[in-house]
Amino acid sequence: MSEIAGPLGEALAAVTSSPFAAIALTLWAFLAGAWLFVRMGRPVWCPPVLLSAVILAVGLVLLRYPIEQYRLQAHWLTVLLGPATVALGIPLYQQMHHIRALWKPVLLLLPLAATLAAFYALALAAVLGASPEALASLAPKSVTAPIAIGITEQLGGSVPLMMAGLLVTGVVATWCVDVFGRRLRVTDERIIGLVLGLNGHAIGTVRAFEISPLAGAFASLGMGLTGIFTAFMLPFAFRLWQV
Amino acid sequence: MVVLRGFLILILFFLLGEAVRVLLGLPVSGGVIGMLMITAWLMLRGTISTHIAQASQALISVLVLLIMPGLAGVFFLADQFSGQWLAFGVALVLGTFLSVLTSLLLMRHAADQDSGHE
């Protein structure tokens, strides 16, 4: 976008070389996605994060914003994922009484459910002949992004590919919980929330908060515990597997 | 100012988590260790100050904004994975399908048993 010469071109170059151009574009896409989601009547199959990501990608193409330059400048936003992960510990503490009330299924079955969430996909991908790099990118598919980025980097996967996996998993999990929950007549909002959080990470958790605050609380719990457990389990499991 | 004080505490726990990660050679990100440490710290204190609660709420509410730069990169993925898309897609969709079904049944069974004992 720097074909224009003269003072106007200089001004444009100054604007686009500032990280605020990337931040403004991201912020705008975030708000536009949220707005569009409400206008579409809050569809379960199309969460706002998907809309925002598509709008951002289209914006980058239309503005001829090089993706590498964008990624470099948007780093000012993504570094905040560190403290944001720490922040997930606060709802965990605030919901401690809920964990105590339903501690048996949560603490006994969550590690199993979290393991299966990774295992099913890994087994299917391995059978279908996916490369080791693709497997490493696929493994943290049910883990919330700030934790999943760390896991994928440790396993030697590709972060953009992992992000694609997160997006698909979040959307499919939200939809599956909706359909299966009705079919199996699961009415307990604590279970619905827990399953949404442990399979669909942040995208499922956002959906759970739409159902009720109780479901949302259990989704944060499921998301947090799955993230912690998977973060500890996967690198060790991969190390054992490669020996 | 209240939010900034909470933000400072979250950043300090993140840095602490990073330090512990490197010192112990753990395979987990510093953010996760910081999250566990702040949860343990709050449980020991037994109370949470409003500035931490507000700062964490503010950060969690913009979580989607923070992961968007990464998600946008999905649409610009190079052709290096062109042969993998079928395996990747089937594993994701079918795997998630099976995982949701299993965890729903597992959790319902456990909750039923739990309430049956009361």
Side-chain angles (χ1 to χ4, degrees):
Chain A
M1 38 184 170
S2 51
E3 284 99 44
I4 307 161
L8 191 64
E10 271 174 44
L12 207 62
V15 167
T16 53
S17 64
S18 147
F20 281 107
I23 293 172
L25 186 64
T26 315
L27 200 53
W28 171 77
F30 172 69
L31 295 172
W35 175 82
L36 192 62
F37 178 66
V38 173
R39 285 301 295 261
M40 286 168 68
R42 300 173 185 275
V44 173
W45 52 270
C46 188
V49 59
L50 180 62
L51 293 169
S52 298
V54 172
I55 291 171
L56 178 57
V58 170
L60 287 171
V61 171
L62 288 182
L63 293 172
R64 288 188 219 165
Y65 205 135
I67 184 72
E68 293 313 320
Q69 192 188 345
Y70 169 77
R71 215 174 264 154
L72 216 64
Q73 293 176 345
H75 190 62
W76 290 93
L77 274 178
T78 46
V79 283
L80 285 174
L81 276 174
T85 312
V86 176
L88 290 172
I90 280 79
L92 214 58
Y93 162 75
Q94 287 168 330
Q95 289 146 30
M96 217 34 105
H97 60 286
H98 284 305
I99 307 179
R100 293 203 173 110
L102 207 69
W103 67 271
K104 245 193 237 166
V106 171
L107 288 185
L108 295 181
L109 292 179
L110 201 129
L112 177 63
T115 308
L116 285 176
F119 173 76
Y120 282 133
L122 281 176
L124 282 167
V127 167
L128 291 169
S131 68
E133 194 186 3
L135 287 178
S137 318
L138 190 70
K141 75 180 192 56
S142 284
V143 177
T144 186
I147 302 180
I149 291 171
I151 297 176
T152 299
E153 280 172 351
Q154 221 117 39
L155 299 181
S158 142
V159 172
L161 189 63
M162 180 276 291
M163 282 292 195
L166 279 195
L167 193 60
V168 173
T169 303
V171 175
V172 173
T174 303
W175 181 78
C176 279
V177 172
D178 204 54
V179 172
F180 292 153
R182 246 182 291 136
R183 274 287 165 90
L184 298 169
R185 294 201 185 82
V186 179
T187 47
D188 192 335
E189 283 179 357
R190 298 175 304 176
I191 296 177
I192 295 280
L194 203 59
V195 173
L196 270 172
L198 88 85
N199 284 293
H201 52 92
I203 297 176
T205 303
V206 169
R207 167 66 191 148
F209 272 110
E210 280 173 27
I211 297 172
S212 77
L214 182 67
F218 268 82
S220 327
L221 181 66
M223 174 177 80
L225 291 179
T226 301
I228 296 167
F229 179 76
T230 314
F232 275 99
M233 178 201 65
L234 269 182
F236 286 122
F238 259 66
R239 221 178 273 172
L240 282 176
W241 190 29
Q242 280 162 354
V243 166
Chain B
M1 286 312 257
V2 171
V3 174
L4 282 183
R5 272 170 64 190
F7 190 49
L8 176 62
I9 292 172
L10 292 176
I11 292 174
L12 288 177
F13 267 96
F14 171 67
L15 293 174
L16 203 62
E18 277 289 312
V20 169
R21 178 183 70 85
V22 174
L23 283 173
L24 301 182
L26 291 173
V28 193
S29 65
V32 179
I33 300 168
M35 169 171 74
L36 289 176
M37 289 173 88
I38 204 168
T39 309
W41 179 65
L42 289 170
M43 283 171 77
L44 283 175
R45 282 186 63 190
T47 172
I48 182 166
S49 52
T50 42
H51 52 264
I52 300 180
Q54 284 182 4
S56 90
Q57 222 165 24
L59 267 179
I60 292 173
S61 67
V62 296
L63 209 60
V64 166
L65 180 70
L66 303 183
I67 64 173
M68 271 175 55
L71 287 178
V74 169
F75 301 98
F76 300 91
L77 263 178
D79 289 332
Q80 66 185 118
F81 298 109
S82 55
Q84 310 269 315
W85 284 116
L86 182 71
F88 202 71
V90 170
L92 278 174
V93 175
L94 205 58
T96 304
F97 195 84
L98 289 170
S99 168
V100 168
L101 193 62
T102 320
S103 50
L104 260 180
L105 291 171
L106 276 175
M107 292 297 170
R108 185 179 67 169
H109 178 73
D112 281 353
Q113 279 212 322
D114 215 37
S115 55
H117 286 304
E118 277 163 18

